[in-house]
Amino acid sequence: MQWLLQCNPIKWRIHDFVSNGHEVHAWTVTRHLGEIIPDDDVALWLTGSTGGAAEWFGVTSQRKSKWSRFAAPV
């Protein structure tokens, strides 16, 4: 299955995070947590006037908390 996760770059400055050499390895998931499973694909959607799909990731593990882990971009 494919999922769309949202990021508000005003609340979390993801561009600065990535520019400083960091990688996104986990994401807070508040809806459909039990439905997201390993091998699903996830698109990270940036909100705002310059937003859009930023990156595709593959889910590597299913979690029972609000965090899902992602593999390297696909």
Side-chain angles (χ1 to χ4, degrees):
M1 183 165 291
Q2 296 178 331
W3 299 94
L4 184 67
L5 299 181
Q6 181 175 301
C7 175
N8 181 339
I10 294 172
K11 291 185 178 182
W12 183 48
R13 296 172 18 185
I14 190 169
H15 297 296
D16 293 339
F17 182 81
V18 174
S19 295
N20 289 328
H22 301 287
E23 295 180 2
V24 178
H25 293 283
W27 200 260
T28 301
V29 176
T30 57
R31 296 178 70 192
H32 307 289
L33 180 63
E35 299 173 48
I36 300 172
I37 60 172
D39 295 324
D40 282 355
D41 294 319
V42 174
L44 183 60
W45 183 267
L46 300 181
T47 62
S49 60
T50 60
E55 191 68 71
W56 278 95
F57 296 91
V59 177
T60 59
S61 66
Q62 187 173 17
R63 303 295 287 260
K64 300 296 181 194
S65 67
K66 290 185 177 182
W67 291 94
S68 285
R69 295 204 175 276
F70 302 111
V74 291

